[in-house]
Coordinates of all heavy atoms in Angstrom, one line a residue:
E213 N 130.4 103.3 80.0 CA 129.0 103.6 79.8 C 128.1 102.4 80.2 O 128.3 101.3 79.7 CB 128.7 104.0 78.3 CG 129.3 105.3 77.9 CD 128.8 106.5 78.7 OE1 127.6 106.5 79.0 OE2 129.6 107.4 79.0
C214 N 127.2 102.7 81.1 CA 126.3 101.6 81.6 C 125.0 102.1 82.0 O 124.9 103.2 82.7 CB 127.0 100.9 82.8 SG 126.0 99.6 83.6
R215 N 123.9 101.4 81.7 CA 122.6 101.8 82.1 C 122.1 100.6 83.0 O 122.4 99.5 82.8 CB 121.6 101.9 80.9 CG 121.9 103.2 80.1 CD 121.1 103.2 78.8 NE 119.7 103.4 79.0 CZ 119.0 104.5 79.1 NH1 119.7 105.7 79.0 NH2 117.7 104.5 79.2
F216 N 121.3 101.0 84.1 CA 120.9 100.1 85.2 C 119.4 100.1 85.3 O 118.8 101.2 85.4 CB 121.6 100.6 86.4 CG 121.4 99.8 87.7 CD1 122.4 98.9 88.1 CD2 120.2 99.9 88.4 CE1 122.2 98.1 89.2 CE2 120.0 99.1 89.5 CZ 121.0 98.2 89.9
L217 N 118.8 98.9 85.3 CA 117.4 98.8 85.6 C 117.2 98.2 87.0 O 117.6 97.1 87.2 CB 116.7 97.9 84.5 CG 115.2 97.8 84.7 CD1 114.5 99.0 84.2 CD2 114.6 96.5 84.0
Y218 N 116.5 98.9 87.8 CA 116.1 98.4 89.1 C 114.7 97.9 89.0 O 113.8 98.7 88.6 CB 116.2 99.4 90.2 CG 115.6 98.9 91.5 CD1 116.2 97.9 92.2 CD2 114.3 99.3 91.9 CE1 115.6 97.4 93.3 CE2 113.7 98.8 93.0 CZ 114.4 97.8 93.7 OH 113.8 97.3 94.8
V219 N 114.4 96.7 89.3 CA 113.1 96.1 89.3 C 112.5 96.1 90.7 O 112.9 95.4 91.6 CB 113.1 94.7 88.7 CG1 111.7 94.0 88.7 CG2 113.6 94.7 87.3
G220 N 111.5 97.0 90.9 CA 110.8 97.1 92.1 C 109.6 96.2 92.1 O 109.5 95.1 91.5
S221 N 108.5 96.6 92.8 CA 107.3 95.8 92.9 C 106.1 96.7 93.2 O 106.2 97.6 94.0 CB 107.4 94.8 94.0 OG 106.2 94.1 94.2
A222 N 105.0 96.4 92.6 CA 103.7 97.0 92.9 C 103.2 96.7 94.3 O 102.3 97.4 94.8 CB 102.7 96.7 91.8
D223 N 103.8 95.6 94.9 CA 103.4 95.3 96.3 C 103.8 96.5 97.2 O 103.2 96.6 98.3 CB 104.2 94.1 96.7 CG 103.4 92.8 96.6 OD1 102.3 92.9 96.0 OD2 103.8 91.8 97.2
S224 N 104.7 97.4 96.8 CA 105.1 98.5 97.6 C 103.9 99.5 97.8 O 104.0 100.3 98.7 CB 106.3 99.2 97.0 OG 107.4 98.3 97.0
Y225 N 102.9 99.4 97.0 CA 101.7 100.3 97.2 C 101.0 99.9 98.4 O 100.2 100.7 99.0 CB 100.8 100.2 96.0 CG 101.3 100.9 94.7 CD1 101.5 100.2 93.6 CD2 101.6 102.3 94.7 CE1 102.0 100.8 92.4 CE2 102.1 102.9 93.6 CZ 102.3 102.1 92.4 OH 102.8 102.7 91.3
G226 N 101.1 98.7 98.9 CA 100.5 98.2 100.1 C 99.1 97.7 99.9 O 98.6 97.6 98.8
I227 N 98.4 97.5 101.0 CA 97.0 97.0 101.0 C 96.0 98.0 101.3 O 94.8 97.8 101.1 CB 96.9 95.8 101.9 CG1 97.2 96.2 103.3 CG2 97.7 94.6 101.5 CD1 97.0 95.1 104.3
D228 N 96.4 99.2 101.8 CA 95.5 100.3 102.1 C 95.3 101.1 100.9 O 95.6 102.3 100.8 CB 96.0 101.1 103.3 CG 96.2 100.3 104.5 OD1 95.3 99.5 104.8 OD2 97.2 100.5 105.2
V229 N 94.7 100.5 99.8 CA 94.5 101.2 98.6 C 93.0 101.7 98.6 O 92.1 101.0 98.5 CB 94.7 100.3 97.4 CG1 94.4 101.0 96.1 CG2 96.1 99.7 97.3
S230 N 92.9 103.0 98.9 CA 91.6 103.6 99.1 C 91.0 104.4 97.9 O 89.8 104.6 97.7 CB 91.6 104.5 100.3 OG 92.5 105.5 100.2
D231 N 91.9 104.8 97.0 CA 91.5 105.6 95.9 C 90.9 104.7 94.8 O 91.5 103.7 94.5 CB 92.7 106.4 95.3 CG 93.3 107.3 96.3 OD1 92.6 107.8 97.1 OD2 94.5 107.6 96.2
P232 N 89.7 105.1 94.3 CA 89.1 104.3 93.2 C 90.0 104.4 91.9 O 90.7 105.4 91.7 CB 87.8 104.9 93.1 CG 87.9 106.3 93.5 CD 88.9 106.3 94.6
G233 N 89.8 103.4 91.1 CA 90.5 103.5 89.8 C 91.9 102.9 89.9 O 92.4 102.5 90.9
P234 N 92.6 102.9 88.7 CA 93.9 102.3 88.7 C 95.0 103.0 89.4 O 95.0 104.3 89.5 CB 94.2 102.3 87.2 CG 93.5 103.4 86.6 CD 92.2 103.5 87.4
L235 N 96.0 102.3 90.0 CA 97.1 102.9 90.6 C 98.0 103.5 89.5 O 98.2 102.9 88.4 CB 97.9 101.8 91.4 CG 97.2 101.3 92.7 CD1 97.9 100.0 93.1 CD2 97.2 102.4 93.8
K236 N 98.6 104.6 89.9 CA 99.6 105.3 88.9 C 100.9 105.4 89.7 O 101.0 105.3 90.9 CB 99.0 106.6 88.5 CG 97.7 106.5 87.7 CD 97.2 107.9 87.3 CE 95.9 107.9 86.6 NZ 96.0 107.2 85.3
E237 N 101.9 105.8 88.9 CA 103.3 105.9 89.4 C 103.4 106.9 90.6 O 104.3 106.7 91.4 CB 104.3 106.2 88.3 CG 104.6 105.1 87.4 CD 103.6 105.0 86.2 OE1 102.6 105.7 86.2 OE2 103.9 104.2 85.3
N238 N 102.6 107.9 90.6 CA 102.7 108.9 91.6 C 101.8 108.6 92.9 O 101.7 109.4 93.8 CB 102.3 110.3 91.1 CG 100.8 110.3 90.6 OD1 100.1 109.3 90.6 ND2 100.4 111.5 90.1
C239 N 101.2 107.4 92.9 CA 100.5 107.0 94.1 C 101.4 106.8 95.3 O 102.6 106.3 95.1 CB 99.6 105.8 93.9 SG 98.2 106.1 92.8
P240 N 101.0 107.0 96.5 CA 101.9 106.8 97.7 C 102.2 105.3 97.9 O 101.4 104.5 97.6 CB 101.1 107.4 98.9 CG 99.7 107.3 98.4 CD 99.7 107.6 97.0
L241 N 103.4 105.1 98.4 CA 103.8 103.7 98.7 C 103.6 103.5 100.2 O 104.1 104.2 101.1 CB 105.3 103.5 98.4 CG 105.7 103.8 97.0 CD1 107.2 103.5 96.8 CD2 104.9 103.0 96.0
R242 N 102.8 102.4 100.5 CA 102.5 102.1 101.9 C 102.7 100.6 102.1 O 101.8 99.8 102.3 CB 101.0 102.4 102.2 CG 100.6 103.9 102.0 CD 99.2 104.1 102.5 NE 98.7 105.4 102.2 CZ 97.9 105.8 101.2 NH1 97.6 104.9 100.3 NH2 97.5 107.0 101.1
P243 N 104.0 100.2 102.0 CA 104.3 98.7 102.1 C 103.8 98.1 103.4 O 103.9 98.7 104.5 CB 105.8 98.7 101.9 CG 106.3 100.0 102.3 CD 105.2 101.0 101.9
A244 N 103.3 96.8 103.3 CA 102.7 96.2 104.4 C 103.4 94.9 104.9 O 102.9 94.2 105.8 CB 101.2 95.8 104.1
N245 N 104.6 94.7 104.3 CA 105.4 93.5 104.7 C 106.8 93.8 104.4 O 107.1 94.7 103.7 CB 104.9 92.2 104.1 CG 104.9 92.3 102.6 OD1 105.9 92.4 101.9 ND2 103.7 92.3 102.0
P246 N 107.8 93.0 105.0 CA 109.2 93.3 104.8 C 109.6 93.2 103.3 O 110.4 94.0 102.8 CB 109.9 92.2 105.6 CG 108.9 91.9 106.7 CD 107.6 92.0 106.1
Y247 N 109.0 92.3 102.5 CA 109.3 92.2 101.1 C 108.9 93.6 100.4 O 109.8 94.2 99.7 CB 108.5 91.1 100.4 CG 108.5 91.2 98.9 CD1 109.7 91.0 98.2 CD2 107.3 91.6 98.2 CE1 109.7 91.1 96.8 CE2 107.3 91.7 96.9 CZ 108.5 91.5 96.1 OH 108.5 91.7 94.8
A248 N 107.7 94.0 100.6 CA 107.3 95.2 99.9 C 108.1 96.5 100.4 O 108.4 97.3 99.6 CB 105.8 95.5 100.2
A249 N 108.3 96.5 101.7 CA 109.1 97.6 102.3 C 110.5 97.7 101.8 O 111.1 98.7 101.5 CB 109.0 97.6 103.8
S250 N 111.2 96.5 101.7 CA 112.5 96.4 101.3 C 112.7 96.8 99.8 O 113.6 97.4 99.4 CB 113.1 95.0 101.5 OG 112.4 94.0 100.8
K251 N 111.7 96.4 99.0 CA 111.7 96.8 97.6 C 111.4 98.3 97.4 O 112.1 99.0 96.6 CB 110.6 96.0 96.8 CG 110.8 94.5 96.8 CD 112.1 94.1 96.0 CE 111.9 94.2 94.5 NZ 113.1 93.7 93.8

């Protein structure tokens, strides 16, 4: 029995954040660099 935590990054949302207000888990991911895209 084993549980696994994958630690991603909010950088994966990218820099084209056009929606006002806070980002939520269901917002699209638009990574803008290899770090963000690989995560």
Side-chain angles (χ1 to χ4, degrees):
E213 293 296 322
C214 173
R215 287 169 70 88
F216 183 101
L217 184 78
Y218 171 72
V219 176
S221 172
D223 263 11
S224 294
Y225 289 120
I227 60 177
D228 298 319
V229 179
S230 56
D231 297 332
L235 290 164
K236 298 179 183 291
E237 285 85 353
N238 60 358
C239 288
L241 303 182
R242 302 186 183 99
N245 56 67
Y247 164 71
S250 62
K251 296 296 281 185

